[in-house]
Amino acid sequence: MSSCEEFKGVLVLEDGSIFEGKGLGAEGEAFGEVVFNTSMTGYQEALTDPSYHGQILLMTYPLQGNYGVNPEFTQSERIWAKGFIAMRSSESFSRYLKENGVPGVQLPQTREVTLKIRERGTMMGAVLAFRTKRFFRFSPEDILEQILRTPTPGELNLVKETSTVREVIYPSRKSSPRIVLWDFGVKRSILELLRPLGEVIRVPWDTPPERIVELNPNLIVLSNGPGDPQHPALEPAVKGIRWLGEEGYPLFGICLGHQLLSLAFGGNTYKLRFGHRGSNHPVEETATGRVFITSQNHGYATYEPSLPEDVHVTHRNLNDSTVEGIAAEGLKVRGLQFHPEGGPGPHDTRDIFPRIVRWALEGGGG
């Protein structure tokens, strides 16, 4: 291959839009749901967040890779995003993507793409990154046809692919409390904030509730994860969550875990037009009026009118008034749609983890 060949990159959207730029990362093609993240930092955390499985990630901040790559920032063992889009990228970051087999494109029109997604809603798309001679083997018509044939993340059971496949025990100097982490695609930063608080037992996504009871937990944490909370494969988990809650076990859900709690206790969920992905989302705690700046990454939300009278909204998004937290009256059930751990993002809400553990140990009231 001649070194003088141009490395071309192209983004194709399901509405037929084509955006040309420079190639980034690995040579190849990636098909997935195109989403944007407004964070100014955190590109590495976002790429390795299992919740981005099945998606092509566009970062709206114009420069990516400007502070390097650090293993401490990764949120899992691999990159989960299918492809990457940036206005500009450092060479070292492009090498990081290449080493991990992720194709990308540098586009001068990232703002135009973002506005298109905001106006039309999230779309499926494809990223192509090839040297000149190979690139011209592809026709836009063929790519568009393949985009339209590609299943959306909501149609797939992506939780199965991101969850642990076996139980993992993380011992602690503290003999109690015992925290069962129900893994639907958990981020490493959640695990790191739970481990100092007690013994953590991480269990697979399809663990029967009877097995969780055998583990004798003081608190059950339902993790974040990818895909549609109403996917049929998650129905047994939803039923198990309700049973555990009615049996009196303290439950705390984050992101997808929050949505599963909403479904389990009588609510419904729906797909947002373009989702919430970024590190600057203001959320109000309804009881106090206190406002937090939060990290978010979700494409689905709880449909507030569907919630029964005994499920209360505890937190609300100040940008669009969507539900950001719930609590079930008379039960030890709490959920948060945003990411209290940050990773990336502000640490304003990290104290929620020790507070939730105390809440569980004190009987789950208040």
Side-chain angles (χ1 to χ4, degrees):
M1 181 183 296
S2 172
S3 60
C4 65
E5 282 190 80
E6 186 181 0
F7 192 25
K8 293 180 65 68
V10 171
L11 168 67
V12 182
L13 297 176
E14 68 175 65
D15 67 352
S17 302
I18 299 175
F19 301 89
E20 297 188 14
K22 296 181 179 180
L24 178 67
E27 282 198 66
E29 57 192 75
F31 295 82
E33 184 180 52
V34 182
V35 299
F36 64 85
N37 184 304
T38 58
S39 299
M40 296 178 67
T41 60
Y43 46 83
Q44 189 179 348
E45 292 96 322
L47 281 165
T48 55
D49 181 346
S51 296
Y52 280 108
H53 187 23
Q55 297 176 326
I56 295 171
L57 174 60
L58 183 157
M59 299 294 287
T60 61
Y61 190 69
L63 179 59
Q64 300 298 309
N66 51 321
Y67 55 84
V69 174
N70 189 324
E72 294 182 8
F73 297 158
T74 59
Q75 294 298 312
S76 63
E77 294 77 17
R78 52 165 284 190
I79 290 179
W80 287 102
K82 306 278 282 186
F84 191 76
I85 305 167
M87 182 179 288
R88 296 185 185 88
S89 170
S90 67
E91 290 187 14
S92 62
F93 184 64
S94 184
R95 286 196 300 271
Y96 171 69
L97 293 175
K98 183 177 181 180
E99 290 166 0
N100 286 273
V102 177
V105 56
Q106 295 184 85
L107 290 179
Q109 316 98 320
T110 52
R111 181 174 175 80
E112 182 181 347
V113 176
T114 301
L115 290 173
K116 179 180 283 288
I117 294 172
R118 283 183 59 91
E119 292 167 2
R120 190 186 185 280
T122 300
M123 287 183 277
M124 296 294 288
V127 161
L128 293 86
F130 286 104
R131 300 292 172 182
T132 308
K133 289 181 181 178
R134 292 189 63 195
F135 180 81
F136 287 112
R137 298 177 188 174
F138 300 92
S139 72
E141 294 79 13
D142 292 341
I143 295 299
L144 183 58
E145 182 181 346
Q146 191 166 345
I147 290 171
L148 298 176
R149 290 200 311 264
T150 301
T152 67
E155 296 174 292
L156 302 171
N157 180 10
L158 300 178
V159 167
K160 180 180 180 180
E161 300 177 25
T162 55
S163 171
T164 183
V165 296
R166 58 184 175 83
E167 290 183 9
V168 182
I169 299 175
Y170 301 89
S172 171
R173 292 179 180 177
K174 298 181 179 180
S175 57
S176 67
R178 174 172 289 177
I179 303 166
V180 169
L181 175 59
W182 207 340
D183 181 5
F184 299 100
V186 70
K187 291 168 58 181
R188 190 179 73 176
S189 53
I190 292 176
L191 180 60
E192 289 179 343
L193 287 172
L194 289 174
R195 290 187 63 183
L197 303 176
E199 181 185 55
V200 178
I201 303 178
R202 182 178 177 184
V203 300
W205 70 282
D206 56 354
T207 300
E210 295 82 4
R211 173 56 186 159
I212 292 177
V213 169
E214 289 175 1
L215 296 173
N216 194 28
N218 299 106
L219 172 66
I220 302 166
V221 176
L222 316 176
S223 85
N224 65 292
D228 187 345
Q230 294 194 52
H231 192 281
L234 295 175
E235 288 180 9
V238 170
K239 293 177 181 177
I241 290 166
R242 183 176 184 92
W243 181 79
L244 288 164
E246 291 177 342
E247 289 294 308
Y249 288 92
L251 298 167
F252 174 53
I254 299 172
C255 199
L256 176 63
H258 161 86
Q259 296 160 14
L260 296 176
L261 282 175
S262 297
L263 294 171
F265 293 97
N268 207 343
T269 58
Y270 67 102
K271 187 173 176 63
L272 295 164
R273 174 186 264 189
F274 50 82
H276 294 173
R277 298 176 180 89
S279 301
N280 56 353
H281 290 256
V283 168
E284 181 185 37
E285 187 176 53
T286 57
T288 65
R290 186 180 177 189
V291 176
F292 304 93
I293 301 302
T294 68
S295 176
Q296 304 205 5
N297 176 19
H298 57 274
Y300 295 83
T302 296
Y303 183 54
E304 186 171 353
S306 71
L307 293 173
E309 291 184 1
D310 58 353
V311 177
H312 307 297
V313 175
T314 61
H315 296 75
R316 191 179 301 282
N317 190 298
L318 293 180
N319 288 335
D320 60 8
S321 296
T322 50
V323 177
E324 291 283 353
I326 60 168
E329 188 176 314
L331 297 174
K332 305 169 186 176
V333 172
R334 292 288 180 91
L336 293 174
Q337 181 61 74
F338 60 90
H339 282 266
E341 77 285 355
H347 295 176
D348 300 30
T349 53
R350 284 194 166 192
D351 67 324
I352 284 175
F353 288 94
R355 284 165 48 198
I356 282 290
V357 170
R358 289 196 300 270
W359 164 81
L361 293 176
E362 292 168 1

